[in-house]
Amino acid sequence: YLYDYETKGGGSGIIVGENDTELLIATNNHVVEDSDELTVQFIDSSVAEASVKGTDADMDLAVIAINLSDLDPATKKQIKIATLGNSDYLKVGEPAIAIGNALGTGQSVTTGVISAVNRAYTDDEGPLYGTETDKASSSSAVKYLIQTDAAINPGNSGGALLNVRGEVVGINSSKIADYATEGMGYAIPISTAEPILKDLMEKKTRPSQKNDSATYLGISGMAVTGELLDKYDIKEGIYITQVFDHTPAKDAGIHKGDILLEIDGYTVGKMSDLTEVLSYYKIGDKVTAKLMTRTNNGYQPYETTVTLGGK
C-alpha cells in the first residue's frame, strides 16, 4: 500500500527587496518546492503567511512574498533589506559568517573562513555545477560554489553567508553539504544568484496549489538546443516529443514537434520550468500558450488557449 502524509520542513531566508505591497525573501528552491503552505518567522518571533513568487530549480533559488499588510508594524521596524556584496572578489582565507535556522532550532550564527571559490560540485547524477575546465564557457548552465568551513547544517538552507562587512556574499545550501567530511559547507555565490533573484522578484505572485489540485498540459518534451535556437532566434523553449490523447494540450491543437516558448508570459525552457509555472494555476484555468510549429517555410509562431486539466 502507498500512503500519503504531510510533513513539515524548515529553512532560512534573506530579505532582498520590497515592492508596493510585498516583502520579498530569497531562499533555496528545495526549501519551498512541493509546499502546500508557507510561513515565515521573524526575529521577534512573529509569523506571517508567504507565497512563492518564483523559483529556479536548476540553481536551487526561490523568492517568496509576504503581504506588507500582514506584517505587524513592530516587526517591520526590526527588519531591513540585506546588503548584497560581490562574491567575485572573495579571497580564500577571509572570514565567513553563516546565519540561519540551523536544525530548526531558531536563528544561529556560525563562523569560519572562505575555504575555496569556484568550487565545482558533483552528485550521483553527474556534475551539478560544472567543472573548472568549463570556466571559459558562456553557458549559463555552468555554475560554481563557495566552500566554507563555517558550519552549514539542515535548516541553514537559504540563509546568508556574510563577509566581515555584513554583506551577503552567498546563499547557503545544506542540500549540497558534504556530511561525510567535517567542515565542508557550500553556498551559491551572490554574484551568480543576484540576477536570477531580480528576475524572480518581478514575477507575479500566485499561491501554489495543493498536490491534489495540480494541473497539467499533457505533453513530454526536452529543452531546445543547437541550430534551432540560432536559426529562429529562440532564447529557450521546449521541443514537444509527445502530445498525449485526451489531454488539454491535445484539445488545444498542440502537436508533436511544436516548440513551447511561454505560458501566460512565463518563459519555459525545460519541463521543470513548465511544472513550476503550472503549479500556480487551478484546474479549469485558461492560459495562453505561445508556441512555434513546423510549416513548409520552417517554424512559424502561433498562440493557443489551453484549459488546464487535473492530474
Side-chain angles (χ1 to χ4, degrees):
Y1 295 94
L2 295 176
Y3 298 94
D4 290 331
Y5 58 92
E6 293 185 352
T7 60
K8 292 183 178 180
S12 306
I14 307 165
I15 301 172
V16 291
E18 183 179 317
N19 57 34
D20 292 341
T21 60
E22 299 169 319
L23 186 73
L24 305 176
I25 298 173
T27 187
N28 287 140
N29 176 63
H30 76 264
V31 172
V32 301
E33 67 180 342
D34 299 326
S35 60
D36 292 336
E37 183 180 350
L38 285 174
T39 57
V40 174
Q41 181 172 321
F42 293 95
I43 188 67
D44 62 353
S45 297
S46 66
V47 176
E49 291 188 1
S51 297
V52 175
K53 196 166 186 69
T55 63
D56 186 314
D58 284 347
M59 273 304 301
D60 195 21
L61 292 171
V63 171
I64 63 176
I66 297 171
N67 289 329
L68 292 174
S69 59
D70 293 337
L71 278 182
D72 188 297
T75 300
K76 190 70 166 60
K77 290 180 180 179
Q78 295 192 53
I79 60 178
K80 64 180 295 185
I81 297 171
T83 300
L84 304 186
N86 189 330
S87 56
D88 291 340
Y89 296 128
L90 287 176
K91 301 295 183 183
V92 172
E94 73 173 270
I97 305 164
I99 298 179
N101 177 29
L103 303 178
T105 57
Q107 181 171 288
S108 63
V109 178
T110 57
T111 62
V113 298
I114 300 297
S115 304
V117 295
N118 295 329
R119 178 68 80 197
Y121 176 83
T122 303
D123 66 3
D124 293 337
E125 297 177 357
L128 180 63
Y129 285 94
T131 64
E132 286 294 328
T133 57
D134 294 326
K135 200 167 181 181
S137 171
S138 61
S139 171
S140 61
V142 179
K143 309 169 187 75
Y144 306 92
L145 298 172
I146 301 166
Q147 181 183 323
T148 179
D149 65 349
I152 297 176
N153 292 297
N156 276 118
S157 286
L161 186 70
L162 307 172
N163 59 23
V164 291
R165 292 181 294 277
E167 299 168 337
V168 179
V169 293
I171 298 179
N172 301 322
S173 180
S174 66
K175 183 180 181 181
I176 48 180
D178 187 348
Y179 294 115
T181 306
E182 185 177 349
M184 293 180 68
Y186 296 95
I188 302 164
I190 199 63
S191 296
T192 301
E194 187 174 7
I196 298 171
L197 295 176
K198 285 183 176 179
D199 179 62
L200 298 179
M201 289 163 65
E202 295 299 320
K203 291 184 178 294
K204 182 178 179 180
T205 305
R206 293 176 180 269
S208 293
Q209 304 304 314
K210 291 183 180 292
N211 290 334
D212 58 2
S213 300
T215 60
Y216 81 119
L217 287 186
I219 65 170
S220 60
M222 58 186 181
V224 178
T225 59
E227 295 180 1
L228 281 177
L229 293 175
D230 298 329
K231 185 174 182 179
Y232 296 104
D233 194 26
I234 302 171
K235 292 184 178 179
E236 57 183 335
I238 297 172
Y239 179 84
I240 299 173
T241 56
Q242 188 170 359
V243 178
F244 298 96
D245 291 335
H246 312 297
T247 62
K250 191 76 168 182
D251 294 342
I254 296 174
H255 301 96
K256 176 181 177 180
D258 289 354
I259 298 172
L260 177 61
L261 303 175
E262 295 180 5
I263 295 289
D264 268 4
Y266 289 90
T267 301
V268 289
K270 49 191 178 299
M271 291 301 291
S272 60
D273 291 342
L274 179 61
T275 301
E276 192 266 325
V277 169
L278 293 181
S279 70
Y280 298 143
Y281 292 87
K282 301 188 297 295
I283 296 171
D285 282 352
K286 296 181 184 297
V287 298
T288 300
K290 184 177 180 181
L291 307 99
M292 299 185 74
T293 192
R294 190 191 301 272
T295 71
N296 292 333
N297 297 318
Y299 274 94
Q300 299 295 325
Y302 78 98
E303 291 185 0
T304 186
T305 299
V306 183
T307 302
L308 297 175
K311 292 183 179 180

